[in-house]
Amino acid sequence: AQSVSQHNHHVILSEAASLELGCNYSYGGTVNLFWYVQYPGQHLQLLLKYFSGDPLVKGIKGFEAEFIKSKFSFNLRKPSVQWSDTAEYFCAVNPSTDKLIFGTGTRLQVFP
Amino acid sequence: SQTIHQWPATLVQPVGSPLSLECTVEGTSNPNLYWYRQAAGRGLQLLFYSIGIDQISSEVPQNLSASRPQDRQFILSSKKLLLSDSGFYLCAWGTSGGAEEQYFGPGTRLTVT
């Protein structure tokens, strides 16, 4: 069955630290890839997406993600986190259907 | 611009009571509509999705059902709630074809007592 794995369940960082959140998926065909973010008390919203082209995708608020097809990965990165990045982050895969398959999420806490 | 509404925002219901959660979308036509349940540590579980009026696909067999009586209205229901139905329910819409991103509503926090 298709699945998305986020191995980091809870990440705690200090401001200015670098961030990398892992995302791996199990699907052999063409996929669209997404990272969503849910800030405390807010709607789930799109952070960035990859459909095709340059495998390094830049999103909002300085986030980026790299699609590595050979590793079935789409890791999220930010070189220097801020307190306002405290949120829950979800990786999602769309395997060319009408559905998104979400990972279990990673809770990020950033301390000033 | 498109907006998505869900109500109620919070709900406390006793076991065995019925449930009706409503989701409506404005500013788009013929959207794909989705119901998810979000549980801590378990991510978002897709419950139902719909590509058109009266076209509902169920992803997980359970105590819930969904209906789409109008193009931009999606309803999640139950005849008799269970304790295990407690959770945070999210509605989302996406463009037809499914390759694009989905847009999420504010959610409903359901507590079954």
Side-chain angles (χ1 to χ4, degrees), chain A residues 21-90:
Chain A
L21 302 182
C23 174
N24 290 89
Y25 62 93
S26 62
Y27 184 75
T30 301
V31 293
N32 298 322
L33 298 155
F34 306 82
W35 275 97
Y36 282 83
V37 60
Q38 190 171 33
Y39 297 104
Q42 295 189 27
H43 297 203
L44 197 66
Q45 59 186 282
L46 184 70
L47 196 57
L48 50 78
K49 60 186 178 183
Y50 172 80
F51 286 174
S52 62
D54 188 345
L56 185 61
V57 180
K58 295 192 183 298
I60 61 173
K61 302 186 180 184
F63 285 91
E64 64 180 30
E66 184 175 12
F67 170 50
I68 303 179
K69 188 174 182 179
S70 61
K71 294 185 178 180
F72 298 89
S73 70
F74 190 54
N75 292 356
L76 181 71
R77 301 195 292 249
K78 185 171 183 178
S80 177
V81 294
Q82 300 173 320
W83 175 78
S84 58
D85 294 324
T86 295
E88 191 155 16
Y89 293 81
F90 295 92

Side-chain angles (χ1 to χ4, degrees), chain A residues 42-44, chain B residues 4-6 88-93 103-107:
Chain A
Q42 295 189 27
H43 297 203
L44 197 66
Chain B
I4 179 169
H5 304 279
Q6 285 186 248
F88 191 56
Y89 290 85
L90 287 169
C91 181
W93 73 271
Y103 302 87
F104 287 81

Side-chain angles (χ1 to χ4, degrees), chain A residues 9 32 34 36 38 42-46 49 51 88 90 94 96-105 107, chain B residues 4 32 34 36 38 41-44 46 49 51 59 88 90 96-106:
Chain A
H9 299 295
N32 298 322
F34 306 82
Y36 282 83
Q38 190 171 33
Q42 295 189 27
H43 297 203
L44 197 66
Q45 59 186 282
L46 184 70
K49 60 186 178 183
F51 286 174
E88 191 155 16
F90 295 92
N94 177 310
S96 300
T97 68
D98 288 303
K99 301 182 290 186
L100 279 179
I101 301 171
F102 281 87
T104 54
R107 181 181 295 180
Chain B
I4 179 169
N32 287 352
Y34 305 84
Y36 292 89
Q38 184 179 4
R42 297 184 62 184
L44 277 74
L46 179 62
Y49 74 97
I51 62 171
E59 290 296 299
F88 191 56
L90 287 169
S96 298
E100 302 295 325
E101 65 192 88
Q102 292 179 15
Y103 302 87
F104 287 81

Side-chain angles (χ1 to χ4, degrees), chain B residues 28-66:
Chain B
T28 186
S29 59
N30 194 32
N32 287 352
L33 295 173
Y34 305 84
W35 277 111
Y36 292 89
R37 179 163 53 204
Q38 184 179 4
R42 297 184 62 184
L44 277 74
Q45 180 185 33
L46 179 62
L47 303 176
F48 301 93
Y49 74 97
S50 170
I51 62 171
I53 294 175
D54 295 330
Q55 299 179 67
I56 311 292
S57 297
S58 174
E59 290 296 299
V60 183
Q62 55 197 310
N63 187 41
L64 302 169
S65 62

